[in-house]
Amino acid sequence: DQQVKQNSPSLSVQEGRISILNCDYTNSMFDYFLWYKKYPAEGPTFLISISSIKDKNEDGRFTVFLNKSAKHLSLHIVPSQPGDSAVYFCAASANAGGTSYGKLTFGQGTILTVHP
Amino acid sequence: EPEVTQTPSHQVTQMGQEVILRCVPISNHLYFYWYRQILGQKVEFLVSFYNNEISEKSEIFDDQFSVERPDGSNFTLKIRSTKLEDSAMYFCASFGLEGSTDTQYFGPGTRLTVL
């Protein structure tokens, strides 16, 4: 099942710089997209989401961009902090009326390391 | 801050034994889910539950699996006869509106080891 793909297994960034995490999807029925952060031995923690009717959503240091024609979304973190070091998962939901109450399909995750 | 809780944090069992994983979703949420993550693989959807019945299930969720909401607070996943390949982290989630964002909130997980 490769409906949601995160092609970069890892990303290393200097503190204060921008982190850009990417995600591609193939299912045209996805209408809601989310980013989760996960630390070892913990469950995924919701970070930010975007409905397919928007192309950008911003929350503090985190911005998610959605390019529907390219079936691509990205998460920008600026400025990056060492505490941001974690695994980041992209997830998508289909036919849920622009919410995430339907099943989530996850990407493989990207390990972000922010160096002081 | 409300959170999803899960017990136990780690369960070790022998192949063929039954296990029950327990979850307490966020109290005003109405949709509940189980996901699992086999080591090194993606987080995978197992089942969703709403209004006291299964609303959707994946191919993984076969007759060996069942879910129940035995009272107003707990949500359980039962595996009737565990297999080695059931070893994974199992995450419970619940869906609801928190502030201006509705999303699925995940518990810390139960690590199931089948020997």
Side-chain angles (χ1 to χ4, degrees):
Chain A
D1 178 5
Q2 295 291 309
Q3 294 187 72
V4 178
K5 291 179 70 172
Q6 293 174 254
N7 290 317
S8 298
S10 63
L11 175 68
S12 183
V13 170
Q14 206 67 30
E15 181 178 8
R17 299 288 183 101
I18 185 170
S19 296
I20 300 176
L21 297 107
N22 294 302
C23 178
D24 297 295
Y25 63 95
T26 56
N27 188 343
S28 301
M29 303 307 291
F30 287 146
D31 57 4
Y32 200 77
F33 304 89
L34 309 92
W35 285 94
Y36 284 86
K37 180 168 78 171
K38 186 179 180 305
Y39 295 114
E42 293 185 12
T45 301
F46 170 73
L47 207 53
I48 192 169
S49 61
I50 187 166
S51 166
S52 59
I53 62 173
K54 297 185 176 181
D55 53 21
K56 177 183 173 182
N57 188 27
E58 194 172 348
D59 184 1
R61 296 186 297 115
F62 303 92
T63 303
V64 56
F65 295 91
L66 175 62
N67 182 333
K68 287 194 294 291
S69 61
K71 294 190 175 67
H72 177 84
L73 64 155
S74 61
L75 174 68
H76 292 210
I77 307 173
V78 55
S80 302
Q81 300 172 353
D84 295 329
S85 297
V87 181
Y88 288 77
F89 290 98
C90 167
S93 183
N95 294 324
T99 70
S100 69
Y101 76 82
K103 76 173 188 182
L104 296 180
T105 301
F106 283 82
Q108 305 94 315
T110 297
I111 301 169
L112 173 66
T113 305
V114 180
H115 298 283
Chain B
E1 184 174 314
E3 58 181 14
V4 177
T5 59
Q6 290 185 244
T7 53
S9 56
H10 191 189
Q11 174 88 47
V12 180
T13 189
Q14 295 290 325
M15 191 169 57
Q17 294 297 302
E18 173 183 288
V19 295
I20 297 176
L21 309 183
R22 292 182 166 81
C23 168
V24 179
I26 295 173
S27 62
N28 61 344
H29 287 186
L30 299 177
Y31 293 83
F32 314 111
Y33 312 81
W34 286 99
Y35 292 81
R36 78 174 185 189
Q37 185 180 27
I38 295 171
L39 189 63
Q41 297 187 22
K42 291 185 179 187
V43 176
E44 303 173 285
F45 168 80
L46 292 178
V47 66
S48 58
F49 191 86
Y50 172 73
N51 200 25
N52 280 323
E53 60 183 26
I54 291 174
S55 47
E56 188 173 2
K57 59 183 181 179
S58 71
E59 292 176 355
I60 303 166
F61 195 88
D62 61 22
D63 292 344
Q64 292 300 311
F65 292 87
S66 62
V67 289
E68 191 179 28
R69 188 155 164 82
D71 52 43
S73 59
N74 291 284
F75 180 52
T76 62
L77 174 69
K78 183 195 291 187
I79 308 174
R80 262 178 272 281
S81 178
T82 50
K83 307 184 189 72
L84 294 175
E85 53 265 37
D86 293 328
S87 295
M89 281 291 289
Y90 287 80
F91 296 105
C92 173
S94 66
F95 172 85
L97 181 63
E98 303 295 332
S100 60
T101 302
D102 51 359
T103 191
Q104 293 183 28
Y105 291 85
F106 284 75
T110 292
R111 178 171 298 285
L112 177 64
T113 302
V114 182
L115 303 176

